[in-house]
Amino acid sequence: MDELGFEGIPLPQPAVAPAPGPEVLDTVVAPEAVAPEAVPALTARLAGRLQRTHAHVLAAHQAVIAWQLARAARPTAHSPAPTPPRPVDPVAAILHAAARAFRAEGAGPYPGGAVLTWLDEAPELPDGAPRVERTGEEWRLGDRERTFAVLAPHGPQESWPEPPAPRFPPDPRPLARATATRLTAADLDALAAGDIARVLGAAFDQSGLPAAALPVPWPVPLLDTVAFADPRGGRNGQGLLLATTRLPDDAEEAWPHCFAAALELLRVHTFHQGLHLCLPGARATLPVRRPVLVDVRDAPAPPGAELRLEAEITATGMLPRPYATADCRVTVAGRPLARLRDVGVVLKEGPGQDALDPARPGLRTSVTGKRVIADELHTAIFAEGDLGTVPLPGSTTRVTGRVRPRLPRGDFRMLDRVVDGHGEWDAYRPGSWGLAEYDVPADPWYVRESGGTMPQLALMETALQAAGLFSGMLGVAGAYPDGHLSCRNLDGRARLLRHVDTPGTTVEQHVTLRSHSPLPGGVMHRYDFRLRAGGEPFYEGEAVHGFFTPELLAEQQGLDGGTYRPPWLERHPPAPADVRRLDPRRDLRPGRGRLALLEDVTLVPGGGDHGAGYVLCDKPVRRDDWFFHHHFFQDPVMPGSAGVQMLYQAVHAYALHTGLLDHLVRPRAHIAVGEELHWSYRGQILREHRRVRGEAHIREVRREDRRVLLFADGSVWRDDLRIYQVDNIAADIRGEAA
């Protein structure tokens, strides 16, 4: 019974006499030893014993059948609802049929290299056999009506484009955080059947949605196991996946299965990242007109052999629809079998569905369980997509201007979803409000690159991006539709209410419109903002955004009416003995990577407007500075928050190199709680400018056993124009007592 899986299951006992014991066998003797007169009695006795034994076996058999029927009828919490039989993967079926045609022709390009380009989605062919035609050296795969794939030879002497590895690999940005890092064959089959939340976790739960909005079931899985080895692995830092599969017993060539298995691995990856959650009826498709290099080696791969796949993710994104690409290596018994370059999948909505339909109920939910009004696909479009594809509420205005108010993109976008709002298009009533959310990565780049603490730059951007987006949703996005319109922050104040460990959490971004001021050639909005984590506020303030035409933007003259006001060090040249010069590029404590905002630094202990210390930093503007690519699409400008962060780092560097922190072990700089930061911006820094300078005047230093508090005021220059004023830079530098 245990071998059948019945262990631990109590079976009903038959209501019959016990089974015959050994005495039955003892009574069976040779016929010639039995007296004739005893035969009838012995026969009757044996018949009775056999009848009781048969009843016992029959009752046990009936009990087992009853248990099996009851078990089959009982629903289990972990079993998905019955689904129709899934088809065989059409890509695998088409390529296997093509491989057979190549072999029959005796002119197939394998083993060797070839470029496979899909011109259309792989259809499910009724007979599973595509039309295979040869045109010169190319093979064309299709049906009776069209060609859906082209295979062309690629010789070993031919190169394949190798894009350079990114200088700053973008952080993985999953839409949901999966609990599973290894998937078994049973897990993969459950994913394919649509039981996604059970495998990947509650963040993937889509219960309550109509059936048409749920992902389309996958074909029969090809993979046996999948492991998400390293979310930042691979040459591009985008992720490393490992998988196993088994070559079909009837496979005449290995390369079709390698290609189809790599596609399935990418499909698993996109669902593991939650990229399907924005799409009704999500399904994985092939990128069309994107060449894939299929390089097959000579390693023998007999039918039934286990193949191992190692895929380095090269890119993941949301536009125009969620996608992932990878380079994949396939081995058999430790030997190279195939290499696939630039293989990819694209997720699309189901037939008849429209992911951007404003009348469609939201698919995504907020941290409080509310259906959102704009999801990650919408915000990606607000950042760098075609704004004409996003219907603006209450407006039929067609925007033709290239430069529009945008969210930052890539790693600098710190807003994921719009949850709710109250306002009327083009009315701009004070008191209108909006609520957005930002899923803070578990290990965000700006924390890693600022010494392990939350920098002011990230807090400011998380608050201000929500305000800019809400202005666009209230009508600014449609203002001046035939001209350019840039968004610039002008003024603000902010205060950290408490230290919060935000990595890995969802931050709620609440903004309230306080005033609307039309301008000749622009609009100005004043907002209150508040950030919450776990339902409790931790950062709040006020900001003013301006939305400017190029003519109005050109009128900015800096903070001093267009005149040159030199830094304090030029106005009060100290004695050389009082000046310390350093190159903080060799000291990564204030910031590294993208947040290495200091270069040439001059310290003057006892200098500055308050006689408590002074620091001046000077940095050239480079056309490839990371922020120009991210802030904003088609309107690149250095974010004001980067200038503010530079001043915080200048204060940190002053403390590190003037002995103020000598009594601390492993000091780290934090933002001081309860202190209100003020800033004013009256100019912008573009690619064509030459240099940025920032100065900080130390106003007060408070030394304690385990921390040092520094308070300073500062300014930022673009070339020879002072454009930022920043007051009450409050740094709380903590460490262990030496």
Side-chain angles (χ1 to χ4, degrees):
M1 288 294 185
D2 287 354
E3 292 181 358
L4 298 178
F6 300 148
E7 60 273 17
I9 305 296
L11 298 179
Q13 297 300 314
V16 296
E23 69 275 9
V24 174
L25 299 179
D26 292 342
T27 62
V28 180
V29 295
E32 61 272 14
V34 180
E37 63 274 12
V39 170
L42 179 60
T43 302
R45 182 182 176 191
L46 287 174
R49 292 281 187 176
L50 290 173
Q51 186 177 15
R52 288 193 295 271
T53 301
H54 178 71
H56 182 95
V57 173
L58 180 62
H61 181 64
Q62 290 173 336
V64 170
I65 292 176
W67 175 84
Q68 290 176 320
L69 292 174
R71 185 175 184 268
R74 184 175 65 247
T76 58
H78 60 274
S79 297
T83 57
R86 297 191 300 276
V88 174
D89 190 299
V91 172
I94 289 170
L95 295 184
H96 277 297
R100 287 192 292 270
F102 299 155
R103 179 175 288 243
E105 290 284 339
Y110 299 104
V115 177
L116 178 59
T117 306
W118 293 87
L119 307 179
D120 203 345
E121 294 186 29
E124 295 180 12
L125 300 178
D127 57 1
R131 171 177 52 84
V132 181
E133 295 179 348
R134 185 170 184 174
T135 305
E137 293 188 340
E138 289 187 349
W139 294 87
R140 306 182 75 82
L141 313 180
D143 55 20
R144 295 179 180 178
E145 299 178 355
R146 70 197 190 285
T147 297
F148 45 74
V150 175
L151 200 67
H154 187 273
Q157 73 282 358
E158 299 180 73
S159 62
W160 189 260
E162 183 84 34
R167 181 183 175 195
F168 301 115
D171 277 354
R173 196 165 184 144
L175 273 61
R177 298 184 177 103
T179 56
T181 58
R182 299 183 65 87
L183 303 180
T184 64
D187 294 329
L188 294 168
D189 194 65
L191 285 181
D195 201 5
I196 299 172
R198 181 175 70 84
V199 177
L200 300 182
F204 295 78
D205 183 20
Q206 292 187 290
S207 58
L209 293 178
L214 299 177
V216 175
W218 303 355
V220 174
L222 303 177
L223 300 176
D224 296 326
T225 63
V226 171
F228 303 93
D230 184 353
R232 289 201 181 90
R235 194 177 72 91
N236 293 277
Q238 298 301 288
L240 180 64
L241 312 179
L242 305 176
T244 61
T245 184
R246 196 163 292 280
L247 195 61
D249 291 336
D250 59 349
E252 299 180 14
E253 300 280 356
W255 67 268
H257 188 78
C258 294
F259 188 93
L263 288 180
E264 183 173 311
L265 182 55
L266 279 180
R267 175 168 52 195
V268 172
H269 171 70
T270 56
F271 274 69
H272 188 266
Q273 294 285 294
L275 301 185
H276 64 287
L277 295 172
C278 291
L279 300 174
R283 57 194 178 92
T285 67
L286 290 158
V288 298
R289 302 190 182 279
R290 180 185 177 90
V292 179
L293 175 63
V294 183
D295 185 13
V296 182
R297 307 300 174 90
D298 294 324
E306 183 182 73
L307 311 182
R308 294 185 176 273
L309 288 76
E310 179 180 312
E312 294 185 359
I313 302 299
T314 53
T316 303
M318 294 295 294
L319 298 178
R321 287 297 185 267
Y323 68 90
T325 60
D327 293 338
C328 185
R329 291 182 292 274
V330 186
T331 59
V332 55
R335 297 185 301 276
L337 173 62
R339 183 181 63 162
L340 306 172
R341 297 284 304 277
D342 291 337
V343 63
V345 298
V346 176
L347 300 185
K348 294 183 179 179
E349 51 263 66
Q353 303 279 356
D354 182 0
L356 301 178
D357 181 2
R360 175 182 58 80
L363 299 178
R364 299 284 279 141
T365 56
S366 70
V367 71
T368 60
K370 181 180 178 64
R371 294 286 175 191
V372 306
I373 60 177
D375 56 33
E376 289 87 346
L377 180 58
H378 293 95
T379 54
I381 293 172
F382 289 143
E384 55 185 320
D386 180 3
L387 293 179
T389 65
V390 183
L392 300 175
S395 172
T396 58
T397 302
R398 173 63 181 172
V399 174
T400 60
R402 182 177 62 88
V403 176
R404 309 307 299 167
R406 295 273 193 174
L407 284 171
R409 59 180 177 169
D411 280 349
F412 206 56
R413 177 166 58 84
M414 300 179 192
L415 186 151
D416 290 317
R417 298 171 294 278
V418 180
V419 177
D420 202 356
H422 182 270
E424 185 178 346
W425 175 267
D426 205 28
Y428 306 116
R429 291 189 177 91
S432 301
W433 58 269
L435 176 64
E437 287 182 346
Y438 169 45
D439 293 331
V440 184
D443 184 21
W445 65 272
Y446 44 78
V447 171
R448 297 196 309 271
E449 296 179 6
S450 64
T453 62
M454 181 67 69
Q456 188 70 260
L457 170 143
L459 292 173
M460 292 175 67
E461 290 296 328
T462 304
L464 298 179
Q465 290 180 22
L469 176 61
F470 191 52
S471 285
M473 297 180 70
L474 285 177
V476 168
Y480 303 93
D482 298 324
H484 299 328
L485 192 68
S486 295
C487 176
R488 298 291 186 266
N489 181 225
L490 300 177
D491 295 286
R493 58 181 180 83
R495 179 176 56 181
L496 182 66
L497 305 177
R498 59 190 177 97
H499 287 297
V500 178
D501 188 16
T502 57
T505 66
T506 297
V507 171
E508 296 177 275
Q509 303 152 294
H510 195 281
V511 295
T512 303
L513 181 66
R514 290 306 178 199
S515 67
H516 164 75
S517 303
L519 303 171
V523 174
M524 191 162 62
H525 283 171
R526 181 179 297 274
Y527 278 96
D528 289 342
F529 60 76
R530 173 171 288 187
L531 303 182
R532 296 193 301 248
E536 295 295 326
F538 68 93
Y539 189 76
E540 65 180 13
E542 178 185 272
V544 177
H545 277 16
F547 301 88
F548 302 128
T549 59
E551 295 78 15
L552 187 58
L553 195 59
E555 294 182 8
Q556 286 189 318
Q557 297 183 347
L559 292 166
D560 306 302
T563 62
Y564 175 54
R565 177 190 171 189
W568 178 90
L569 191 62
E570 293 183 13
R571 292 182 282 116
H572 303 84
D578 298 329
V579 176
R580 303 181 188 178
R581 301 189 184 278
L582 59 104
D583 183 354
R585 287 173 291 187
R586 300 177 182 176
D587 185 350
L588 302 181
R589 289 175 292 178
R592 61 186 178 88
R594 282 156 285 195
L595 291 187
L597 301 173
L598 303 179
E599 293 198 12
D600 297 320
V601 175
T602 303
L603 310 177
V604 184
D609 288 344
H610 310 289
Y614 175 84
V615 56
L616 176 70
C617 50
D618 194 326
K619 180 181 183 298
V621 176
R622 299 178 177 88
R623 295 190 63 83
D624 63 348
D625 279 330
W626 65 271
F627 39 73
F628 288 132
H629 179 70
H630 291 82
H631 187 262
F632 298 103
F633 179 54
Q634 297 178 328
D635 186 21
V637 61
M638 174 178 164
S641 59
V644 173
Q645 186 65 31
M646 181 175 67
L647 295 181
Y648 270 88
Q649 292 184 357
V651 171
H652 189 191
Y654 180 89
L656 285 169
H657 296 279
T658 56
L660 292 177
L661 308 180
D662 287 352
H663 66 296
L664 298 178
V665 177
R666 292 183 292 276
R668 297 201 303 173
H670 302 260
I671 301 167
V673 171
E675 296 292 334
E676 191 166 82
L677 175 75
H678 294 255
W679 66 88
S680 293
Y681 305 148
R682 293 298 183 269
Q684 57 183 345
I685 300 168
L686 306 176
R687 280 192 169 107
E688 59 263 29
H689 293 124
R690 302 187 309 277
R691 66 174 179 168
V692 179
R693 288 183 293 172
E695 71 172 7
H697 302 263
I698 308 299
R699 193 174 67 246
E700 182 183 358
V701 177
R702 301 178 193 167
R703 298 186 61 174
E704 300 177 4
D705 287 344
R706 295 178 182 267
R707 69 174 183 170
V708 173
L709 286 163
L710 293 96
F711 301 87
D713 304 321
S715 297
V716 173
W717 279 258
R718 177 201 74 199
D719 297 337
D720 290 332
L721 190 68
R722 191 171 72 99
I723 58 173
Y724 299 173
Q725 175 68 39
V726 185
D727 295 329
N728 203 32
I729 303 163
D732 181 356
I733 305 177
R734 303 180 184 183
E736 303 170 14

